[in-house]
Amino acid sequence: MAKLRHSAFLSAILSLPLTSAGQAADLIGFWDTQQKGGNSFNELTPDAAYFDALAETGATWVRLTFSKWKGEGRDFLLGNADNYQGLPQEDVVKLRKALDAAHAAGLKVVIVPLSLPGARWSQQNEGTFDHRLWTDPAYAEQAVRFWSDVAAEFKDHPAIAAYNIVNEPAPEKNTGLAENGAMSDLVAWQEEQAGGPRDLVSFYNRVIAAIRKEDTATPVMVDAGYYANPRSLAAWPDRLNDDRVLYAFHMYEPYEATSSGNMKREEPYRYPGVTTLYGGEELSWSRPDVVAHIDKAFDWAEEQGLAPTRVVAGEFGCMRRWQDCGTYLKDVIDAVDARGGHWAFYAFREEWEGMDYELPLSLKPGRFYWMMEEGKSGDIPRDGKLMELLKEELNG
């Protein structure tokens, strides 16, 4: 059944002309039914084989970042995040080629930068958080121009299902606001920032207005604040001004257990049971707590009169060698499915073994990188049980 569904979807997508903006880019209807996919956060530009392999899992969409790719300038597609001057044409060609390959595989694509002008991704910024976008209005102007240019350039491409304005924005960082503090604090902080450079709602409205001057049809995806935390989304006073918006959150809570740091502990934290500070109190995480955290986004959307299909779990995951990863993944997926939202697991065949669920436990840490360096990537075993779990959910 999964192959039949994928075949029908592929035929429908490939029947669309490559330059039909009115048909191909007008994709809010794509999001009217639940879509399940994966994230592509690779340093190398994904090729046809990569997208074919992702499509074979049952995924219908891919959240694709290009910011790790080698570009014409320092920052791919931006040229330089310190001073945006236009889209480098070599980068445009490279991104278009990747989009063509995804389209040929029958996948819809959400493109997402890790960096914007004045907000260079910390891993490409010597580990330092770049907050200029959230303090200097000049960079917001550059970000608006960047997205206007992107929309003008790619609005006709049939693979694109949404523009995701930026990955995991954190205008709240370095302001004294705790990421998972009391909800009343999050709401008060949002009210204080209204109209200022840290007001993410205002920033998104400006960017979307610029996009709409070039492209009236393609949906826009927006990550919640504080690294796409659903609680930060729930603190927003209103939905955005555009009707073609998808509201995204990421799910790694309890981060102390799901992240790589946990695997360095002599006795890694377990799930359920790990205790963290949450909402100003200690919380011992279990399945109902995962559900409650995720429900923050869906409850807010419902209050705003939005359908659950306007909410996206844009990323979720855990370290593949963590013994509770399967239980955690299933609990997250069940919580999103129960509300009828979209989801995309993190990540598919990244050049990092940590969250590559195709890799079996028998592949010891470090062996993956050795095989890659020795040119033996084709011999890497990809029969991991976690990927089998994900495939069942992707095709369910």
Side-chain angles (χ1 to χ4, degrees), residues 318-322 324-327 329 356-361 383-392:
C318 45
M319 296 297 292
R320 70 173 179 93
R321 297 189 62 81
W322 181 41
D324 300 315
C325 190
T327 300
L329 290 174
D356 188 336
Y357 307 113
E358 289 184 314
L359 305 180
L361 288 177
D383 57 350
K385 293 186 181 300
L386 291 175
M387 195 66 224
E388 292 304 312
L389 181 156
L390 286 170
K391 285 180 179 178
E392 289 182 10

mmCIF file with all atom_site columns, all heavy atoms in Angstrom, residues 318-322 324-327 329 356-361 383-392:
data_model
loop_
_atom_site.group_PDB
_atom_site.id
_atom_site.type_symbol
_atom_site.label_atom_id
_atom_site.label_alt_id
_atom_site.label_comp_id
_atom_site.label_asym_id
_atom_site.label_entity_id
_atom_site.label_seq_id
_atom_site.pdbx_PDB_ins_code
_atom_site.Cartn_x
_atom_site.Cartn_y
_atom_site.Cartn_z
_atom_site.occupancy
_atom_site.B_iso_or_equiv
_atom_site.pdbx_formal_charge
_atom_site.auth_seq_id
_atom_site.auth_comp_id
_atom_site.auth_asym_id
_atom_site.auth_atom_id
_atom_site.pdbx_PDB_model_num
ATOM 1   N N   . CYS A 1 318 ? 16.190 12.321 18.640 1.00 0.00 ? 318 CYS A N   1
ATOM 2   C CA  . CYS A 1 318 ? 16.979 11.950 19.805 1.00 0.00 ? 318 CYS A CA  1
ATOM 3   C C   . CYS A 1 318 ? 18.199 11.167 19.321 1.00 0.00 ? 318 CYS A C   1
ATOM 4   O O   . CYS A 1 318 ? 18.229 10.693 18.179 1.00 0.00 ? 318 CYS A O   1
ATOM 5   C CB  . CYS A 1 318 ? 16.167 11.124 20.798 1.00 0.00 ? 318 CYS A CB  1
ATOM 6   S SG  . CYS A 1 318 ? 15.175 9.801  20.055 1.00 0.00 ? 318 CYS A SG  1
ATOM 7   N N   . MET A 1 319 ? 19.182 11.022 20.157 1.00 0.00 ? 319 MET A N   1
ATOM 8   C CA  . MET A 1 319 ? 20.398 10.308 19.787 1.00 0.00 ? 319 MET A CA  1
ATOM 9   C C   . MET A 1 319 ? 20.079 8.834  19.530 1.00 0.00 ? 319 MET A C   1
ATOM 10  O O   . MET A 1 319 ? 19.453 8.168  20.362 1.00 0.00 ? 319 MET A O   1
ATOM 11  C CB  . MET A 1 319 ? 21.426 10.449 20.891 1.00 0.00 ? 319 MET A CB  1
ATOM 12  C CG  . MET A 1 319 ? 21.889 11.881 21.110 1.00 0.00 ? 319 MET A CG  1
ATOM 13  S SD  . MET A 1 319 ? 22.735 12.600 19.686 1.00 0.00 ? 319 MET A SD  1
ATOM 14  C CE  . MET A 1 319 ? 24.222 11.619 19.665 1.00 0.00 ? 319 MET A CE  1
ATOM 15  N N   . ARG A 1 320 ? 20.542 8.327  18.398 1.00 0.00 ? 320 ARG A N   1
ATOM 16  C CA  . ARG A 1 320 ? 20.157 6.980  17.969 1.00 0.00 ? 320 ARG A CA  1
ATOM 17  C C   . ARG A 1 320 ? 20.642 5.892  18.920 1.00 0.00 ? 320 ARG A C   1
ATOM 18  O O   . ARG A 1 320 ? 20.017 4.838  19.018 1.00 0.00 ? 320 ARG A O   1
ATOM 19  C CB  . ARG A 1 320 ? 20.690 6.698  16.565 1.00 0.00 ? 320 ARG A CB  1
ATOM 20  C CG  . ARG A 1 320 ? 22.206 6.534  16.499 1.00 0.00 ? 320 ARG A CG  1
ATOM 21  C CD  . ARG A 1 320 ? 22.674 6.092  15.134 1.00 0.00 ? 320 ARG A CD  1
ATOM 22  N NE  . ARG A 1 320 ? 24.129 5.957  15.072 1.00 0.00 ? 320 ARG A NE  1
ATOM 23  C CZ  . ARG A 1 320 ? 24.773 4.813  15.309 1.00 0.00 ? 320 ARG A CZ  1
ATOM 24  N NH1 . ARG A 1 320 ? 24.115 3.709  15.603 1.00 0.00 ? 320 ARG A NH1 1
ATOM 25  N NH2 . ARG A 1 320 ? 26.094 4.784  15.233 1.00 0.00 ? 320 ARG A NH2 1
ATOM 26  N N   . ARG A 1 321 ? 21.718 6.139  19.656 1.00 0.00 ? 321 ARG A N   1
ATOM 27  C CA  . ARG A 1 321 ? 22.255 5.127  20.563 1.00 0.00 ? 321 ARG A CA  1
ATOM 28  C C   . ARG A 1 321 ? 21.667 5.221  21.973 1.00 0.00 ? 321 ARG A C   1
ATOM 29  O O   . ARG A 1 321 ? 21.986 4.416  22.850 1.00 0.00 ? 321 ARG A O   1
ATOM 30  C CB  . ARG A 1 321 ? 23.784 5.214  20.617 1.00 0.00 ? 321 ARG A CB  1
ATOM 31  C CG  . ARG A 1 321 ? 24.443 4.921  19.268 1.00 0.00 ? 321 ARG A CG  1
ATOM 32  C CD  . ARG A 1 321 ? 25.952 4.789  19.389 1.00 0.00 ? 321 ARG A CD  1
ATOM 33  N NE  . ARG A 1 321 ? 26.327 3.679  20.260 1.00 0.00 ? 321 ARG A NE  1
ATOM 34  C CZ  . ARG A 1 321 ? 26.361 2.399  19.890 1.00 0.00 ? 321 ARG A CZ  1
ATOM 35  N NH1 . ARG A 1 321 ? 26.030 2.059  18.653 1.00 0.00 ? 321 ARG A NH1 1
ATOM 36  N NH2 . ARG A 1 321 ? 26.728 1.461  20.745 1.00 0.00 ? 321 ARG A NH2 1
ATOM 37  N N   . TRP A 1 322 ? 20.832 6.216  22.203 1.00 0.00 ? 322 TRP A N   1
ATOM 38  C CA  . TRP A 1 322 ? 20.147 6.348  23.494 1.00 0.00 ? 322 TRP A CA  1
ATOM 39  C C   . TRP A 1 322 ? 19.109 5.234  23.589 1.00 0.00 ? 322 TRP A C   1
ATOM 40  O O   . TRP A 1 322 ? 18.286 5.053  22.689 1.00 0.00 ? 322 TRP A O   1
ATOM 41  C CB  . TRP A 1 322 ? 19.494 7.725  23.563 1.00 0.00 ? 322 TRP A CB  1
ATOM 42  C CG  . TRP A 1 322 ? 18.761 8.032  24.828 1.00 0.00 ? 322 TRP A CG  1
ATOM 43  C CD1 . TRP A 1 322 ? 19.135 7.733  26.092 1.00 0.00 ? 322 TRP A CD1 1
ATOM 44  C CD2 . TRP A 1 322 ? 17.523 8.743  24.923 1.00 0.00 ? 322 TRP A CD2 1
ATOM 45  N NE1 . TRP A 1 322 ? 18.213 8.212  26.988 1.00 0.00 ? 322 TRP A NE1 1
ATOM 46  C CE2 . TRP A 1 322 ? 17.210 8.832  26.295 1.00 0.00 ? 322 TRP A CE2 1
ATOM 47  C CE3 . TRP A 1 322 ? 16.658 9.311  23.989 1.00 0.00 ? 322 TRP A CE3 1
ATOM 48  C CZ2 . TRP A 1 322 ? 16.049 9.461  26.763 1.00 0.00 ? 322 TRP A CZ2 1
ATOM 49  C CZ3 . TRP A 1 322 ? 15.523 9.946  24.436 1.00 0.00 ? 322 TRP A CZ3 1
ATOM 50  C CH2 . TRP A 1 322 ? 15.221 10.017 25.806 1.00 0.00 ? 322 TRP A CH2 1
ATOM 51  N N   . ASP A 1 324 ? 16.412 4.853  25.043 1.00 0.00 ? 324 ASP A N   1
ATOM 52  C CA  . ASP A 1 324 ? 14.993 5.210  25.091 1.00 0.00 ? 324 ASP A CA  1
ATOM 53  C C   . ASP A 1 324 ? 14.536 5.990  23.857 1.00 0.00 ? 324 ASP A C   1
ATOM 54  O O   . ASP A 1 324 ? 13.421 6.519  23.836 1.00 0.00 ? 324 ASP A O   1
ATOM 55  C CB  . ASP A 1 324 ? 14.709 6.037  26.347 1.00 0.00 ? 324 ASP A CB  1
ATOM 56  C CG  . ASP A 1 324 ? 15.039 5.277  27.623 1.00 0.00 ? 324 ASP A CG  1
ATOM 57  O OD1 . ASP A 1 324 ? 14.667 4.090  27.698 1.00 0.00 ? 324 ASP A OD1 1
ATOM 58  O OD2 . ASP A 1 324 ? 15.673 5.857  28.513 1.00 0.00 ? 324 ASP A OD2 1
ATOM 59  N N   . CYS A 1 325 ? 15.383 6.046  22.837 1.00 0.00 ? 325 CYS A N   1
ATOM 60  C CA  . CYS A 1 325 ? 15.067 6.874  21.669 1.00 0.00 ? 325 CYS A CA  1
ATOM 61  C C   . CYS A 1 325 ? 13.794 6.403  20.969 1.00 0.00 ? 325 CYS A C   1
ATOM 62  O O   . CYS A 1 325 ? 12.954 7.219  20.589 1.00 0.00 ? 325 CYS A O   1
ATOM 63  C CB  . CYS A 1 325 ? 16.239 6.875  20.691 1.00 0.00 ? 325 CYS A CB  1
ATOM 64  S SG  . CYS A 1 325 ? 16.081 8.076  19.354 1.00 0.00 ? 325 CYS A SG  1
ATOM 65  N N   . GLY A 1 326 ? 13.629 5.102  20.798 1.00 0.00 ? 326 GLY A N   1
ATOM 66  C CA  . GLY A 1 326 ? 12.440 4.592  20.120 1.00 0.00 ? 326 GLY A CA  1
ATOM 67  C C   . GLY A 1 326 ? 11.162 4.949  20.845 1.00 0.00 ? 326 GLY A C   1
ATOM 68  O O   . GLY A 1 326 ? 10.166 5.360  20.227 1.00 0.00 ? 326 GLY A O   1
ATOM 69  N N   . THR A 1 327 ? 11.179 4.803  22.162 1.00 0.00 ? 327 THR A N   1
ATOM 70  C CA  . THR A 1 327 ? 10.005 5.149  22.961 1.00 0.00 ? 327 THR A CA  1
ATOM 71  C C   . THR A 1 327 ? 9.678  6.625  22.830 1.00 0.00 ? 327 THR A C   1
ATOM 72  O O   . THR A 1 327 ? 8.520  7.024  22.677 1.00 0.00 ? 327 THR A O   1
ATOM 73  C CB  . THR A 1 327 ? 10.256 4.814  24.445 1.00 0.00 ? 327 THR A CB  1
ATOM 74  O OG1 . THR A 1 327 ? 10.517 3.415  24.572 1.00 0.00 ? 327 THR A OG1 1
ATOM 75  C CG2 . THR A 1 327 ? 9.054  5.183  25.305 1.00 0.00 ? 327 THR A CG2 1
ATOM 76  N N   . LEU A 1 329 ? 10.575 8.770  20.325 1.00 0.00 ? 329 LEU A N   1
ATOM 77  C CA  . LEU A 1 329 ? 10.105 9.096  18.978 1.00 0.00 ? 329 LEU A CA  1
ATOM 78  C C   . LEU A 1 329 ? 8.633  8.743  18.811 1.00 0.00 ? 329 LEU A C   1
ATOM 79  O O   . LEU A 1 329 ? 7.853  9.525  18.254 1.00 0.00 ? 329 LEU A O   1
ATOM 80  C CB  . LEU A 1 329 ? 10.938 8.356  17.930 1.00 0.00 ? 329 LEU A CB  1
ATOM 81  C CG  . LEU A 1 329 ? 12.388 8.789  17.740 1.00 0.00 ? 329 LEU A CG  1
ATOM 82  C CD1 . LEU A 1 329 ? 13.097 7.845  16.769 1.00 0.00 ? 329 LEU A CD1 1
ATOM 83  C CD2 . LEU A 1 329 ? 12.475 10.223 17.243 1.00 0.00 ? 329 LEU A CD2 1
ATOM 84  N N   . ASP A 1 356 ? 21.155 9.620  12.797 1.00 0.00 ? 356 ASP A N   1
ATOM 85  C CA  . ASP A 1 356 ? 20.907 8.877  11.559 1.00 0.00 ? 356 ASP A CA  1
ATOM 86  C C   . ASP A 1 356 ? 20.280 7.551  11.955 1.00 0.00 ? 356 ASP A C   1
ATOM 87  O O   . ASP A 1 356 ? 20.971 6.604  12.322 1.00 0.00 ? 356 ASP A O   1
ATOM 88  C CB  . ASP A 1 356 ? 22.209 8.662  10.790 1.00 0.00 ? 356 ASP A CB  1
ATOM 89  C CG  . ASP A 1 356 ? 21.975 8.076  9.403  1.00 0.00 ? 356 ASP A CG  1
ATOM 90  O OD1 . ASP A 1 356 ? 20.921 7.427  9.208  1.00 0.00 ? 356 ASP A OD1 1
ATOM 91  O OD2 . ASP A 1 356 ? 22.829 8.247  8.526  1.00 0.00 ? 356 ASP A OD2 1
ATOM 92  N N   . TYR A 1 357 ? 18.962 7.487  11.877 1.00 0.00 ? 357 TYR A N   1
ATOM 93  C CA  . TYR A 1 357 ? 18.225 6.338  12.416 1.00 0.00 ? 357 TYR A CA  1
ATOM 94  C C   . TYR A 1 357 ? 18.326 5.092  11.548 1.00 0.00 ? 357 TYR A C   1
ATOM 95  O O   . TYR A 1 357 ? 17.925 4.009  11.973 1.00 0.00 ? 357 TYR A O   1
ATOM 96  C CB  . TYR A 1 357 ? 16.758 6.725  12.618 1.00 0.00 ? 357 TYR A CB  1
ATOM 97  C CG  . TYR A 1 357 ? 16.609 7.985  13.435 1.00 0.00 ? 357 TYR A CG  1
ATOM 98  C CD1 . TYR A 1 357 ? 16.112 9.152  12.862 1.00 0.00 ? 357 TYR A CD1 1
ATOM 99  C CD2 . TYR A 1 357 ? 17.019 8.020  14.763 1.00 0.00 ? 357 TYR A CD2 1
ATOM 100 C CE1 . TYR A 1 357 ? 16.007 10.315 13.600 1.00 0.00 ? 357 TYR A CE1 1
ATOM 101 C CE2 . TYR A 1 357 ? 16.914 9.181  15.509 1.00 0.00 ? 357 TYR A CE2 1
ATOM 102 C CZ  . TYR A 1 357 ? 16.409 10.328 14.919 1.00 0.00 ? 357 TYR A CZ  1
ATOM 103 O OH  . TYR A 1 357 ? 16.317 11.487 15.651 1.00 0.00 ? 357 TYR A OH  1
ATOM 104 N N   . GLU A 1 358 ? 18.884 5.230  10.360 1.00 0.00 ? 358 GLU A N   1
ATOM 105 C CA  . GLU A 1 358 ? 19.124 4.054  9.529  1.00 0.00 ? 358 GLU A CA  1
ATOM 106 C C   . GLU A 1 358 ? 20.284 3.213  10.060 1.00 0.00 ? 358 GLU A C   1
ATOM 107 O O   . GLU A 1 358 ? 20.380 2.027  9.762  1.00 0.00 ? 358 GLU A O   1
ATOM 108 C CB  . GLU A 1 358 ? 19.441 4.470  8.094  1.00 0.00 ? 358 GLU A CB  1
ATOM 109 C CG  . GLU A 1 358 ? 18.268 5.021  7.316  1.00 0.00 ? 358 GLU A CG  1
ATOM 110 C CD  . GLU A 1 358 ? 18.648 5.306  5.882  1.00 0.00 ? 358 GLU A CD  1
ATOM 111 O OE1 . GLU A 1 358 ? 19.704 5.911  5.650  1.00 0.00 ? 358 GLU A OE1 1
ATOM 112 O OE2 . GLU A 1 358 ? 17.878 4.918  4.993  1.00 0.00 ? 358 GLU A OE2 1
ATOM 113 N N   . LEU A 1 359 ? 21.172 3.834  10.829 1.00 0.00 ? 359 LEU A N   1
ATOM 114 C CA  . LEU A 1 359 ? 22.348 3.128  11.315 1.00 0.00 ? 359 LEU A CA  1
ATOM 115 C C   . LEU A 1 359 ? 21.981 2.208  12.466 1.00 0.00 ? 359 LEU A C   1
ATOM 116 O O   . LEU A 1 359 ? 21.319 2.620  13.421 1.00 0.00 ? 359 LEU A O   1
ATOM 117 C CB  . LEU A 1 359 ? 23.415 4.127  11.768 1.00 0.00 ? 359 LEU A CB  1
ATOM 118 C CG  . LEU A 1 359 ? 23.840 5.174  10.735 1.00 0.00 ? 359 LEU A CG  1
ATOM 119 C CD1 . LEU A 1 359 ? 24.900 6.089  11.328 1.00 0.00 ? 359 LEU A CD1 1
ATOM 120 C CD2 . LEU A 1 359 ? 24.344 4.516  9.467  1.00 0.00 ? 359 LEU A CD2 1
ATOM 121 N N   . PRO A 1 360 ? 22.406 0.956  12.423 1.00 0.00 ? 360 PRO A N   1
ATOM 122 C CA  . PRO A 1 360 ? 22.088 0.014  13.503 1.00 0.00 ? 360 PRO A CA  1
ATOM 123 C C   . PRO A 1 360 ? 22.988 0.233  14.711 1.00 0.00 ? 360 PRO A C   1
ATOM 124 O O   . PRO A 1 360 ? 24.064 0.848  14.611 1.00 0.00 ? 360 PRO A O   1
ATOM 125 C CB  . PRO A 1 360 ? 22.359 -1.352 12.859 1.00 0.00 ? 360 PRO A CB  1
ATOM 126 C CG  . PRO A 1 360 ? 23.453 -1.077 11.867 1.00 0.00 ? 360 PRO A CG  1
ATOM 127 C CD  . PRO A 1 360 ? 23.173 0.308  11.333 1.00 0.00 ? 360 PRO A CD  1
ATOM 128 N N   . LEU A 1 361 ? 22.560 -0.272 15.852 1.00 0.00 ? 361 LEU A N   1
ATOM 129 C CA  . LEU A 1 361 ? 23.367 -0.158 17.067 1.00 0.00 ? 361 LEU A CA  1
ATOM 130 C C   . LEU A 1 361 ? 24.709 -0.862 16.918 1.00 0.00 ? 361 LEU A C   1
ATOM 131 O O   . LEU A 1 361 ? 25.681 -0.514 17.586 1.00 0.00 ? 361 LEU A O   1
ATOM 132 C CB  . LEU A 1 361 ? 22.603 -0.738 18.260 1.00 0.00 ? 361 LEU A CB  1
ATOM 133 C CG  . LEU A 1 361 ? 21.424 0.084  18.776 1.00 0.00 ? 361 LEU A CG  1
ATOM 134 C CD1 . LEU A 1 361 ? 20.720 -0.663 19.903 1.00 0.00 ? 361 LEU A CD1 1
ATOM 135 C CD2 . LEU A 1 361 ? 21.880 1.456  19.261 1.00 0.00 ? 361 LEU A CD2 1
ATOM 136 N N   . ASP A 1 383 ? 20.222 -0.764 8.338  1.00 0.00 ? 383 ASP A N   1
ATOM 137 C CA  . ASP A 1 383 ? 19.099 -1.599 8.763  1.00 0.00 ? 383 ASP A CA  1
ATOM 138 C C   . ASP A 1 383 ? 18.710 -1.314 10.209 1.00 0.00 ? 383 ASP A C   1
ATOM 139 O O   . ASP A 1 383 ? 18.270 -2.196 10.942 1.00 0.00 ? 383 ASP A O   1
ATOM 140 C CB  . ASP A 1 383 ? 19.442 -3.076 8.589  1.00 0.00 ? 383 ASP A CB  1
ATOM 141 C CG  . ASP A 1 383 ? 20.712 -3.487 9.346  1.00 0.00 ? 383 ASP A CG  1
ATOM 142 O OD1 . ASP A 1 383 ? 21.431 -2.598 9.841  1.00 0.00 ? 383 ASP A OD1 1
ATOM 143 O OD2 . ASP A 1 383 ? 20.986 -4.705 9.433  1.00 0.00 ? 383 ASP A OD2 1
ATOM 144 N N   . GLY A 1 384 ? 18.871 -0.058 10.617 1.00 0.00 ? 384 GLY A N   1
ATOM 145 C CA  . GLY A 1 384 ? 18.552 0.319  11.991 1.00 0.00 ? 384 GLY A CA  1
ATOM 146 C C   . GLY A 1 384 ? 17.080 0.174  12.317 1.00 0.00 ? 384 GLY A C   1
ATOM 147 O O   . GLY A 1 384 ? 16.212 0.503  11.509 1.00 0.00 ? 384 GLY A O   1
ATOM 148 N N   . LYS A 1 385 ? 16.792 -0.312 13.505 1.00 0.00 ? 385 LYS A N   1
ATOM 149 C CA  . LYS A 1 385 ? 15.406 -0.531 13.926 1.00 0.00 ? 385 LYS A CA  1
ATOM 150 C C   . LYS A 1 385 ? 14.640 0.779  14.095 1.00 0.00 ? 385 LYS A C   1
ATOM 151 O O   . LYS A 1 385 ? 13.413 0.821  13.921 1.00 0.00 ? 385 LYS A O   1
ATOM 152 C CB  . LYS A 1 385 ? 15.380 -1.337 15.224 1.00 0.00 ? 385 LYS A CB  1
ATOM 153 C CG  . LYS A 1 385 ? 15.885 -2.766 15.077 1.00 0.00 ? 385 LYS A CG  1
ATOM 154 C CD  . LYS A 1 385 ? 15.701 -3.558 16.354 1.00 0.00 ? 385 LYS A CD  1
ATOM 155 C CE  . LYS A 1 385 ? 16.227 -4.978 16.183 1.00 0.00 ? 385 LYS A CE  1
ATOM 156 N NZ  . LYS A 1 385 ? 15.526 -5.700 15.103 1.00 0.00 ? 385 LYS A NZ  1
ATOM 157 N N   . LEU A 1 386 ? 15.334 1.862  14.429 1.00 0.00 ? 386 LEU A N   1
ATOM 158 C CA  . LEU A 1 386 ? 14.650 3.144  14.586 1.00 0.00 ? 386 LEU A CA  1
ATOM 159 C C   . LEU A 1 386 ? 14.091 3.627  13.250 1.00 0.00 ? 386 LEU A C   1
ATOM 160 O O   . LEU A 1 386 ? 13.012 4.210  13.193 1.00 0.00 ? 386 LEU A O   1
ATOM 161 C CB  . LEU A 1 386 ? 15.596 4.192  15.173 1.00 0.00 ? 386 LEU A CB  1
ATOM 162 C CG  . LEU A 1 386 ? 16.000 3.980  16.629 1.00 0.00 ? 386 LEU A CG  1
ATOM 163 C CD1 . LEU A 1 386 ? 17.037 5.008  17.053 1.00 0.00 ? 386 LEU A CD1 1
ATOM 164 C CD2 . LEU A 1 386 ? 14.782 4.045  17.547 1.00 0.00 ? 386 LEU A CD2 1
ATOM 165 N N   . MET A 1 387 ? 14.818 3.369  12.154 1.00 0.00 ? 387 MET A N   1
ATOM 166 C CA  . MET A 1 387 ? 14.300 3.761  10.851 1.00 0.00 ? 387 MET A CA  1
ATOM 167 C C   . MET A 1 387 ? 13.103 2.910  10.471 1.00 0.00 ? 387 MET A C   1
ATOM 168 O O   . MET A 1 387 ? 12.168 3.405  9.815  1.00 0.00 ? 387 MET A O   1
ATOM 169 C CB  . MET A 1 387 ? 15.388 3.632  9.782  1.00 0.00 ? 387 MET A CB  1
ATOM 170 C CG  . MET A 1 387 ? 15.036 4.363  8.489  1.00 0.00 ? 387 MET A CG  1
ATOM 171 S SD  . MET A 1 387 ? 14.951 6.161  8.729  1.00 0.00 ? 387 MET A SD  1
ATOM 172 C CE  . MET A 1 387 ? 13.466 6.556  7.814  1.00 0.00 ? 387 MET A CE  1
ATOM 173 N N   . GLU A 1 388 ? 13.096 1.671  10.888 1.00 0.00 ? 388 GLU A N   1
ATOM 174 C CA  . GLU A 1 388 ? 11.922 0.833  10.626 1.00 0.00 ? 388 GLU A CA  1
ATOM 175 C C   . GLU A 1 388 ? 10.703 1.379  11.357 1.00 0.00 ? 388 GLU A C   1
ATOM 176 O O   . GLU A 1 388 ? 9.590  1.391  10.821 1.00 0.00 ? 388 GLU A O   1
ATOM 177 C CB  . GLU A 1 388 ? 12.201 -0.614 11.057 1.00 0.00 ? 388 GLU A CB  1
ATOM 178 C CG  . GLU A 1 388 ? 13.241 -1.319 10.199 1.00 0.00 ? 388 GLU A CG  1
ATOM 179 C CD  . GLU A 1 388 ? 12.879 -1.302 8.720  1.00 0.00 ? 388 GLU A CD  1
ATOM 180 O OE1 . GLU A 1 388 ? 11.712 -1.629 8.383  1.00 0.00 ? 388 GLU A OE1 1
ATOM 181 O OE2 . GLU A 1 388 ? 13.749 -0.946 7.899  1.00 0.00 ? 388 GLU A OE2 1
ATOM 182 N N   . LEU A 1 389 ? 10.918 1.849  12.580 1.00 0.00 ? 389 LEU A N   1
ATOM 183 C CA  . LEU A 1 389 ? 9.824  2.480  13.332 1.00 0.00 ? 389 LEU A CA  1
ATOM 184 C C   . LEU A 1 389 ? 9.313  3.708  12.582 1.00 0.00 ? 389 LEU A C   1
ATOM 185 O O   . LEU A 1 389 ? 8.093  3.886  12.419 1.00 0.00 ? 389 LEU A O   1
ATOM 186 C CB  . LEU A 1 389 ? 10.336 2.867  14.723 1.00 0.00 ? 389 LEU A CB  1
ATOM 187 C CG  . LEU A 1 389 ? 9.360  3.529  15.715 1.00 0.00 ? 389 LEU A CG  1
ATOM 188 C CD1 . LEU A 1 389 ? 9.843  3.287  17.139 1.00 0.00 ? 389 LEU A CD1 1
ATOM 189 C CD2 . LEU A 1 389 ? 9.215  5.036  15.492 1.00 0.00 ? 389 LEU A CD2 1
ATOM 190 N N   . LEU A 1 390 ? 10.241 4.540  12.109 1.00 0.00 ? 390 LEU A N   1
ATOM 191 C CA  . LEU A 1 390 ? 9.842  5.752  11.402 1.00 0.00 ? 390 LEU A CA  1
ATOM 192 C C   . LEU A 1 390 ? 9.114  5.437  10.093 1.00 0.00 ? 390 LEU A C   1
ATOM 193 O O   . LEU A 1 390 ? 8.148  6.087  9.727  1.00 0.00 ? 390 LEU A O   1
ATOM 194 C CB  . LEU A 1 390 ? 11.052 6.625  11.126 1.00 0.00 ? 390 LEU A CB  1
ATOM 195 C CG  . LEU A 1 390 ? 11.621 7.370  12.344 1.00 0.00 ? 390 LEU A CG  1
ATOM 196 C CD1 . LEU A 1 390 ? 12.956 8.010  12.009 1.00 0.00 ? 390 LEU A CD1 1
ATOM 197 C CD2 . LEU A 1 390 ? 10.649 8.429  12.853 1.00 0.00 ? 390 LEU A CD2 1
ATOM 198 N N   . LYS A 1 391 ? 9.581  4.418  9.393  1.00 0.00 ? 391 LYS A N   1
ATOM 199 C CA  . LYS A 1 391 ? 8.928  4.030  8.146  1.00 0.00 ? 391 LYS A CA  1
ATOM 200 C C   . LYS A 1 391 ? 7.475  3.602  8.396  1.00 0.00 ? 391 LYS A C   1
ATOM 201 O O   . LYS A 1 391 ? 6.572  3.929  7.613  1.00 0.00 ? 391 LYS A O   1
ATOM 202 C CB  . LYS A 1 391 ? 9.704  2.904  7.467  1.00 0.00 ? 391 LYS A CB  1
ATOM 203 C CG  . LYS A 1 391 ? 10.983 3.332  6.786  1.00 0.00 ? 391 LYS A CG  1
ATOM 204 C CD  . LYS A 1 391 ? 11.672 2.146  6.135  1.00 0.00 ? 391 LYS A CD  1
ATOM 205 C CE  . LYS A 1 391 ? 12.952 2.565  5.432  1.00 0.00 ? 391 LYS A CE  1
ATOM 206 N NZ  . LYS A 1 391 ? 13.654 1.392  4.828  1.00 0.00 ? 391 LYS A NZ  1
ATOM 207 N N   . GLU A 1 392 ? 7.259  2.883  9.471  1.00 0.00 ? 392 GLU A N   1
ATOM 208 C CA  . GLU A 1 392 ? 5.887  2.478  9.804  1.00 0.00 ? 392 GLU A CA  1
ATOM 209 C C   . GLU A 1 392 ? 5.018  3.701  10.023 1.00 0.00 ? 392 GLU A C   1
ATOM 210 O O   . GLU A 1 392 ? 3.854  3.739  9.585  1.00 0.00 ? 392 GLU A O   1
ATOM 211 C CB  . GLU A 1 392 ? 5.903  1.597  11.055 1.00 0.00 ? 392 GLU A CB  1
ATOM 212 C CG  . GLU A 1 392 ? 6.489  0.208  10.851 1.00 0.00 ? 392 GLU A CG  1
ATOM 213 C CD  . GLU A 1 392 ? 6.439  -0.622 12.113 1.00 0.00 ? 392 GLU A CD  1
ATOM 214 O OE1 . GLU A 1 392 ? 5.784  -0.180 13.087 1.00 0.00 ? 392 GLU A OE1 1
ATOM 215 O OE2 . GLU A 1 392 ? 7.062  -1.695 12.144 1.00 0.00 ? 392 GLU A OE2 1
#
